[in-house]
Amino acid sequence: MSVIGSQTHAFKSLPITKNHFGLIHGDLHHHNFLRKEVELTLLDFGDSEYHW
């Protein structure tokens, strides 16, 4: 099996349940969060998507 084939198989075998699959930010980097002491706030959910 090729590398791409094995990766495709691995993704297709992942469970799509509420514990494994859901809304993710999709564009998390240092400009998309605010830090105040030990608290983080995520910003800019324009690239959010449902994924693992």
Side-chain angles (χ1 to χ4, degrees), residues 4-5 7 13 19 25-26 28-29 31-32 36 44:
I4 293 173
Q7 295 298 319
S13 66
N19 292 328
H25 189 277
L28 191 58
H29 55 77
H31 292 295
N32 282 345
K36 183 178 179 182
D44 186 14

Side-chain angles (χ1 to χ4, degrees), residues 17-30:
T17 67
K18 67 179 183 175
N19 292 328
H20 297 93
F21 189 90
L23 186 64
I24 63 168
H25 189 277
D27 187 32
L28 191 58
H29 55 77
H30 67 281

Side-chain angles (χ1 to χ4, degrees):
M1 181 179 292
S2 71
V3 172
I4 293 173
S6 64
Q7 295 298 319
T8 300
H9 176 72
F11 273 111
K12 287 183 176 183
S13 66
L14 291 172
I16 301 176
T17 67
K18 67 179 183 175
N19 292 328
H20 297 93
F21 189 90
L23 186 64
I24 63 168
H25 189 277
D27 187 32
L28 191 58
H29 55 77
H30 67 281
H31 292 295
N32 282 345
F33 66 85
L34 296 175
R35 185 183 74 146
K36 183 178 179 182
E37 297 177 14
V38 296
E39 186 176 297
L40 290 177
T41 302
L42 299 177
L43 307 170
D44 186 14
F45 280 83
D47 290 330
S48 60
E49 60 186 325
Y50 284 91
H51 219 294
W52 289 272

